Amino acid sequence: MMFTDKAARIHTATGQNRIFAAAILSALSVMPATAFAADSGYRTEYGISVFGITIARSELNTRITNNAYALDGSFRSSGVARIFDSTKGSITINGNMRKQGAAAAVQPVSYLTTYRSGKKHKRTAISFKNGSVSAFDNQPPIRKNDPWVETRPDDLKAVFDPISAMMITSPTSAAVCNRTLQIFDGQTRAQIRLSPAGTEAFSIKGFDGTAITCNAKFVPVSGYEKDKKSVRYLADKSKITISFASLNTDKQGAGIYAPVAASVGTQIGTVKVRATRFEQTK
């Protein structure tokens, strides 16, 4: 393959899959396994690649104080992708930690992401109350192309932002993949249906252990263009895997797990995500 052709395909992948990839990759935030760990800090770093070439990087910092959590992160295009489309963005999340047995499950309160891609600027803000969306805003407003699947009020109940949704509280390591994640990103309401796919050794800065790998099926619910080819491919043909790990579990593997790797099949190639750092900072 000529380099220029490969670069063009990378540019296409970056444009078509930025939102979905960012949802998975931004979820590489580290949460404690035990309940209400006071004043703890965590840091993750990761890269996104297509055809073995890195196209984006991100850094995230998570702070736990008593019964709350806060996350601040940034992401940017990298390498050859910057030639075609220079992208920079930030993510801020605040939420509560709800006691769930010996561990704590997350409950988002606010979610804000902003990014600039060339001359385009976008801002998405979501507010939550008691586990459901209470308000959301997109600037500029979403352009709804027919046939559009409209989001209904019931779709916004019992949902998470795409980052908090992937902070999984599990009673055992074997149960990590036995669930469906309910996600709303400010536009699209979707499900990520997980199923077990095995385990693998995983070693990066701050972590050396076992990752739990899940097969994942993307199911759009509402807030999307029904005939859009990229959405239909993700839903019907894409092979998706997500690997989760935890920095602190008990003997049964009970704890809160976060993604450390992901692979998303697209129309032009496979987008791969891998954490390069996964550690407690305090």
Side-chain angles (χ1 to χ4, degrees):
M1 180 187 297
M2 296 291 292
F3 177 76
T4 53
D5 181 35
K6 179 179 286 189
R9 293 177 70 187
I10 289 173
H11 173 54
T12 301
T14 306
Q16 288 185 344
N17 299 284
R18 182 180 299 116
I19 294 176
F20 186 74
I24 294 178
L25 303 177
S26 299
L28 296 174
S29 54
V30 184
M31 302 295 289
T34 55
F36 305 96
D39 199 22
S40 298
Y42 302 85
R43 181 175 177 84
T44 54
E45 299 173 359
Y46 56 88
I48 310 172
S49 64
V50 182
F51 311 123
I53 300 175
T54 299
I55 62 171
R57 297 185 183 279
S58 182
E59 299 84 32
L60 293 158
N61 291 285
T62 303
R63 173 64 57 186
I64 309 299
T65 304
N66 295 324
N67 62 346
Y69 71 96
L71 181 147
D72 290 291
S74 63
F75 56 91
R76 64 191 183 280
S77 55
S78 179
V80 68
R82 296 185 65 184
I83 298 174
F84 297 94
D85 187 4
S86 179
T87 299
K88 293 182 179 180
S90 65
I91 300 169
T92 303
I93 297 174
N94 289 281
N96 300 319
M97 302 292 288
R98 296 183 298 105
K99 190 171 183 181
Q100 195 171 86
V106 303
Q107 185 177 70
V109 173
S110 64
Y111 168 91
L112 174 66
T113 180
T114 63
Y115 79 82
R116 175 182 58 79
S117 180
K119 295 182 179 180
K120 296 180 180 180
H121 296 257
K122 183 173 181 179
R123 177 184 184 275
T124 297
I126 309 174
S127 298
F128 297 85
K129 184 177 181 180
N130 299 324
S132 297
V133 174
S134 57
F136 67 95
D137 178 67
N138 289 285
Q139 295 297 330
I142 298 167
R143 290 191 297 179
K144 300 179 180 180
N145 299 317
D146 289 333
W148 184 262
V149 182
E150 197 65 53
T151 300
R152 302 164 301 177
D154 284 351
D155 293 337
L156 302 179
K157 296 179 180 179
V159 297
F160 295 78
D161 65 78
I163 299 176
S164 300
M166 292 192 184
M167 301 175 188
I168 293 176
T169 299
S170 180
T172 66
S173 58
V176 169
C177 301
N178 297 332
R179 68 195 68 238
T180 295
L181 309 179
Q182 309 292 344
I183 295 174
F184 178 67
D185 68 359
Q187 172 181 316
T188 302
R189 170 70 168 89
Q191 296 180 343
I192 305 294
R193 297 176 181 172
L194 302 180
S195 60
T199 61
E200 61 176 318
F202 198 89
S203 182
I204 54 173
K205 184 177 181 179
F207 179 83
D208 186 9
T210 300
I212 312 300
T213 301
C214 309
N215 290 319
K217 181 173 177 57
F218 174 74
V219 182
V221 176
S222 61
Y224 68 99
E225 184 182 342
K226 189 174 183 179
D227 293 340
K228 192 174 183 66
K229 290 182 179 179
S230 58
V231 175
R232 293 264 51 94
Y233 187 92
L234 280 173
D236 299 334
K237 297 181 179 180
S238 179
K239 181 178 180 180
I240 305 169
T241 61
I242 308 174
S243 295
F244 295 86
S246 178
L247 287 174
N248 187 13
T249 61
D250 63 17
K251 293 181 179 180
Q252 287 73 41
I256 292 183
Y257 289 75
V260 290
S263 176
V264 182
T266 74
Q267 292 172 286
I268 57 86
T270 301
V271 177
K272 292 188 176 181
V273 182
R274 186 175 177 88
T276 58
R277 182 178 182 181
F278 186 69
E279 66 179 348
Q280 185 169 351
T281 57
K282 183 178 178 180

